[in-house]
Amino acid sequence: MADQEVQRASTYAPVNIAVIKYWGKRDTKLNLPTNSSLSVTLSQDDLRTHTTATCSSSYKSDTLTLNGSDQDIAGARTQACLRELRALRKEIEAKDSHVPKLSEMALKIVSENNFPTAAGLASSAAGFAALVRAIANLYQLPATPTVLSRIARQGSGSACRSLFGGYVGWNQGELDDGSDSVAYEVAPASHWPGMRALILVASAEKKDVSSTAGMQQTVASSALFQHRAENVVPKRMEAMEAAIKDRNFEAFAALTTKDSNNFHATCLDTDPPIFYMNDTSRAAVRMCETINQVAGRQICAYTFDAGPNAVVYYLAEDEGRVAGAFKSMLGDLTGWTEGVKATDVSAGMEHVAEMLKKGISRVISTSVGDGPRKTEEHLC
Amino acid sequence: MADQEVQRASTYAPVNIAVIKYWGKRDTKLNLPTNSSLSVTLSQDDLRTHTTATCSSSYKSDTLTLNGSDQDIAGARTQACLRELRALRKEIEAKDSHVPKLSEMALKIVSENNFPTAAGLASSAAGFAALVRAIANLYQLPATPTVLSRIARQGSGSACRSLFGGYVGWNQGELDDGSDSVAYEVAPASHWPGMRALILVASAEKKDVSSTAGMQQTVASSALFQHRAENVVPKRMEAMEAAIKDRNFEAFAALTTKDSNNFHATCLDTDPPIFYMNDTSRAAVRMCETINQVAGRQICAYTFDAGPNAVVYYLAEDEGRVAGAFKSMLGDLTGWTEGVKATDVSAGMEHVAEMLKKGISRVISTSVGDGPRKTEEHLC
């Protein structure tokens, strides 16, 4: 290998949307959470980060580019990931002197999201998962997704869940060094292939506090938060894993909505209060309730992350009754699954329809997908 | 006394706005609460129910009129109040045969609010307090406000607090018959005469579930509610009584805001979620936060009942900085204290100003007042 040669490896990594929410850290440096969480990995056909990691002895320093603009790579979180990955590479290099010393070269990392970063779609989870997976590929690390999840967690907590596809848990762990705070597969995407997600992207409004700052304000000031972390979530984690294993959509849906509301309740109980849901979000909630009422059972479930966007889970067999109901109000927007017929449930819902039309700027129809995919398509 | 003579007595009764919230009943028939609460009685010069109770042997049956329209008097809650009051009257009649047997006559009760009932301003509290006080006057009962609070509580829980002026607690009580679930004076209005309240009445929007239905949904389904009732409120009751006794506005304000948010958090954690605060309410919250930031300390506190209206407490000495700041944005509305100068804090608050202008339909400036006032002005 010529000394100036550039080594490269690329990957795609998915977005995940939690159904049992991560909110609160017991260790802010290591991103160790106060409670376990569980998410659904969304299809990379619709939402993904594409990352190429390269290294060369000709590079002067580590660099990171996202969607064409230079990013600060010196942040403690990114540095923690690079340090851990280089340490694993060093172990390989130490065992065999023929192996090129990539760990000593500077890294050039180029990333692109196929969705607007500003839309508040958990882009940091996909971003850190892709960064860690791409460098692991570049370094030819034999590390398992579990080990990589431990590293990605230090970049962004929820990134650990994007190392796996399907239904993914993140065990809060108990150890001080965080070595047991890793993600695990609850079930692969193929276990429950009918699961669908409709994302209602809310029009840009200045976001409330960032999730990083917000969650620690909640930990510090909410009178309800500790009760959630210690008493509410553990039972829900067990029940949610069972619901997924049994493909019990009604149980999945009930837990998903309750946990979203429970999380936002602790945000509202923060001092000063944090409001991520707005009147558009409330309209999406009312719409889901109406869809379930019309169906006579829970055929859709909403969840909201740290922003006003609704993610609505439903089964493919109910596409017309769920996505179709939203389409009847938001048909002017693109992003619907091909062939979905609009189902009109608008009687008495004029106010809800008005709020949704005013507040939703785009929709994304997607499904459950697999974990990071290696690719030979390089960004540099 | 001629047999057909009409006996009459009239009273005014005040509205109260809780600073430690009542939400949840352990006994729905007797309106026994799951936690104690504490409120501020507002001045009857601005908000009051005026009620005249009359009785006559010429009346065929009990009737109740509110703002000119007939009300259903047969409801269990109203009936409970009438039954209790008649029983006390009967005791007097039994002791002295010369006392006219008013308890055996039908009652005609006429009520008027000097504020729009629909505005969601705790009108049922003032209404039941006035009804009970007026009949007690008519019956010339020697009952103390404490005894009357026990009766009014059965009409509408929070009505018990409107039997007293100033700062009023409602002890949840422990007994099954509710006899110890009564209101008590924490301090009279004169103890802290500087206290002011600015009510921001939100434009009519279809209200979420009624508080009667909503609170029991919360009790039944919220994973956080019991923790609030058992662990959060008891400490806050003690701290709030101390803050009032010490006239410590910053402590009063911190507790008021936190408890409002804590209550609304349990509403959001209800299944299905209850949203009383809307985007207008959120804007009022942000406005209060900005006013406090500009002042460098907490000079105002917001609280929201089961609706989007904000009640902002502040001290008279800060009138310009608090009411004046709202006036700078809402100056087109009437209802300001005479002479309040608008204080502009609008820099960077364009979105908040827009939301408030769009969502607030009127303001009411008021102060702390006394308990029910007997009057010779009769409505019939």
Side-chain angles (χ1 to χ4, degrees), chain A residues 18-21 228 232 236 240 249-265 277 281 284-289 292 298-304 310-314, chain B residues 221 267-275:
Chain A
V19 289
I20 301 291
K21 300 294 189 190
R228 162 176 167 75
V232 179
R236 287 188 178 164
M240 183 60 93
F249 187 82
E250 291 199 59
F252 171 89
L255 288 162
T256 296
T257 39
K258 279 185 192 178
D259 202 68
S260 176
N261 290 328
N262 191 268
F263 147 54
H264 288 280
M277 295 171 75
S281 314
V285 166
R286 291 299 172 236
M287 186 67 181
C288 287
E289 289 170 354
N292 289 332
Q298 198 152 8
I299 62 170
C300 69
Y302 56 81
T303 188
F304 296 83
V311 177
V312 180
Y313 288 110
Y314 60 94
Chain B
S221 67
C267 291
L268 174 49
D269 188 51
T270 301
D271 184 32
I274 302 169
F275 299 95

Side-chain angles (χ1 to χ4, degrees), chain A residues 225-348:
Chain A
F225 174 75
Q226 204 182 345
H227 182 73
R228 162 176 167 75
E230 289 175 10
N231 301 102
V232 179
V233 171
K235 286 176 205 137
R236 287 188 178 164
M237 281 295 292
E238 272 187 45
M240 183 60 93
E241 292 202 23
I244 291 166
K245 280 172 182 160
D246 298 343
R247 289 185 281 267
N248 179 343
F249 187 82
E250 291 199 59
F252 171 89
L255 288 162
T256 296
T257 39
K258 279 185 192 178
D259 202 68
S260 176
N261 290 328
N262 191 268
F263 147 54
H264 288 280
T266 67
C267 291
L268 175 48
D269 189 50
T270 300
D271 185 30
I274 302 170
F275 300 95
Y276 289 125
M277 295 171 75
N278 60 19
D279 284 356
T280 304
S281 314
R282 289 169 55 192
V285 166
R286 291 299 172 236
M287 186 67 181
C288 287
E289 289 170 354
T290 300
I291 290 167
N292 289 332
Q293 271 158 21
V294 169
R297 61 191 171 86
Q298 198 152 8
I299 62 170
C300 69
Y302 56 81
T303 188
F304 296 83
D305 274 354
N309 299 336
V311 177
V312 180
Y313 288 110
Y314 60 94
L315 293 177
E317 65 206 59
D318 296 316
E319 179 118 50
R321 294 197 285 180
V322 180
F326 282 99
K327 196 181 179 187
S328 76
M329 290 179 178
L330 300 170
D332 294 346
L333 303 177
T334 56
W336 306 98
T337 306
E338 219 178 292
V340 177
K341 279 195 192 144
T343 306
D344 187 9
V345 295
S346 63

Side-chain angles (χ1 to χ4, degrees), chain A residues 205 208 223-224 227 232 258 261-262 264-265 268-269 271-273 275 277-279 282 286 289 302 351, chain B residues 205 208 223-224 227 232 236 258 261-262 264-265 268-269 271-273 275 277-279 282 286 289 302 351:
Chain A
E205 188 190 351
D208 221 271
L224 303 174
H227 182 73
V232 179
K258 279 185 192 178
N261 290 328
N262 191 268
H264 288 280
L268 175 48
D269 189 50
D271 185 30
F275 300 95
M277 295 171 75
N278 60 19
D279 284 356
R282 289 169 55 192
R286 291 299 172 236
E289 289 170 354
Y302 56 81
H351 182 67
Chain B
E205 189 191 351
D208 220 271
L224 304 174
H227 182 72
V232 178
R236 286 186 179 165
K258 281 186 191 177
N261 290 327
N262 191 269
H264 288 279
L268 174 49
D269 188 51
D271 184 32
F275 299 95
M277 295 172 74
N278 60 17
D279 284 356
R282 290 168 55 192
R286 291 299 172 237
E289 289 170 354
Y302 55 83
H351 181 67

Side-chain angles (χ1 to χ4, degrees), chain B residues 190-211:
Chain B
S190 60
H191 168 73
W192 202 355
M195 187 68 79
R196 295 289 177 273
L198 176 69
I199 306 175
L200 306 171
V201 182
S203 315
E205 189 191 351
K206 206 182 141 226
K207 196 182 170 174
D208 220 271
V209 285
S210 77
S211 54

Side-chain angles (χ1 to χ4, degrees), chain B residues 18-37:
Chain B
V19 290
I20 302 291
K21 299 294 188 189
Y22 157 49
W23 195 250
K25 299 174 189 186
R26 65 176 201 277
D27 183 318
T28 53
K29 192 164 156 278
L30 292 170
N31 282 343
L32 302 180
T34 50
N35 59 258
S36 297
S37 56

Side-chain angles (χ1 to χ4, degrees), chain A residues 12-341:
Chain A
Y12 297 117
V15 161
N16 72 76
I17 300 289
V19 289
I20 301 291
K21 300 294 189 190
Y22 158 50
W23 195 252
K25 300 174 191 186
R26 64 176 201 276
D27 182 318
T28 53
K29 191 164 158 277
L30 292 170
N31 282 342
L32 301 180
T34 50
N35 59 259
S36 297
S37 56
L38 201 151
S39 61
V40 178
T41 297
L42 299 183
S43 170
Q44 292 165 74
D45 296 344
D46 302 304
L47 298 165
R48 70 180 180 216
T49 299
H50 180 184
T51 296
T52 297
T54 71
C55 64
S56 164
S57 56
S58 69
Y59 295 168
K60 297 273 190 308
S61 61
D62 296 339
T63 57
L64 174 62
T65 311
L66 173 61
N67 293 338
S69 44
D70 290 340
Q71 305 291 306
D72 178 21
I73 200 168
R77 288 150 165 249
T78 313
Q79 285 301 312
C81 294
L82 301 186
R83 190 169 54 242
E84 294 253 16
L85 292 160
R86 281 186 164 122
L88 292 178
R89 172 70 187 181
K90 258 189 218 306
E91 286 177 18
I92 297 172
E93 292 167 2
K95 280 179 198 151
D96 180 351
S97 62
H98 297 294
V99 168
K101 300 211 166 357
L102 303 187
S103 70
E104 293 170 7
M105 298 176 190
L107 286 157
K108 178 180 173 184
I109 303 155
V110 178
S111 268
E112 279 179 11
N113 293 334
N114 73 341
F115 55 91
T117 307
L121 287 168
S123 54
S124 70
F128 273 103
L131 177 140
V132 168
R133 186 72 261 185
I135 298 173
N137 292 350
L138 175 73
Y139 287 172
Q140 299 187 301
L141 303 181
T144 60
T146 305
V147 169
L148 297 184
S149 80
R150 185 181 56 72
I151 298 174
R153 186 203 71 228
Q154 297 171 62
S156 168
S158 56
C160 72
R161 297 186 309 237
S162 276
L163 267 305
F164 292 85
Y167 305 84
V168 186
W170 171 14
N171 181 18
Q172 65 186 92
E174 291 177 1
L175 302 175
D176 283 345
D177 70 357
S179 55
D180 59 346
S181 185
V182 294
Y184 58 97
E185 183 190 88
V186 173
S190 60
H191 167 73
W192 202 356
M195 188 68 78
R196 295 289 177 272
L198 176 69
I199 307 176
L200 306 171
V201 183
S203 314
E205 188 190 351
K206 207 182 140 227
K207 196 182 169 173
D208 221 271
V209 285
S210 77
S211 54
T212 305
M215 63 172 73
Q216 291 318 96
Q217 289 172 20
T218 302
V219 172
S221 67
S222 168
L224 303 174
F225 174 75
Q226 204 182 345
H227 182 73
R228 162 176 167 75
E230 289 175 10
N231 301 102
V232 179
V233 171
K235 286 176 205 137
R236 287 188 178 164
M237 281 295 292
E238 272 187 45
M240 183 60 93
E241 292 202 23
I244 291 166
K245 280 172 182 160
D246 298 343
R247 289 185 281 267
N248 179 343
F249 187 82
E250 291 199 59
F252 171 89
L255 288 162
T256 296
T257 39
K258 279 185 192 178
D259 202 68
S260 176
N261 290 328
N262 191 268
F263 147 54
H264 288 280
T266 67
C267 291
L268 175 48
D269 189 50
T270 300
D271 185 30
I274 302 170
F275 300 95
Y276 289 125
M277 295 171 75
N278 60 19
D279 284 356
T280 304
S281 314
R282 289 169 55 192
V285 166
R286 291 299 172 236
M287 186 67 181
C288 287
E289 289 170 354
T290 300
I291 290 167
N292 289 332
Q293 271 158 21
V294 169
R297 61 191 171 86
Q298 198 152 8
I299 62 170
C300 69
Y302 56 81
T303 188
F304 296 83
D305 274 354
N309 299 336
V311 177
V312 180
Y313 288 110
Y314 60 94
L315 293 177
E317 65 206 59
D318 296 316
E319 179 118 50
R321 294 197 285 180
V322 180
F326 282 99
K327 196 181 179 187
S328 76
M329 290 179 178
L330 300 170
D332 294 346
L333 303 177
T334 56
W336 306 98
T337 306
E338 219 178 292
V340 177
K341 279 195 192 144

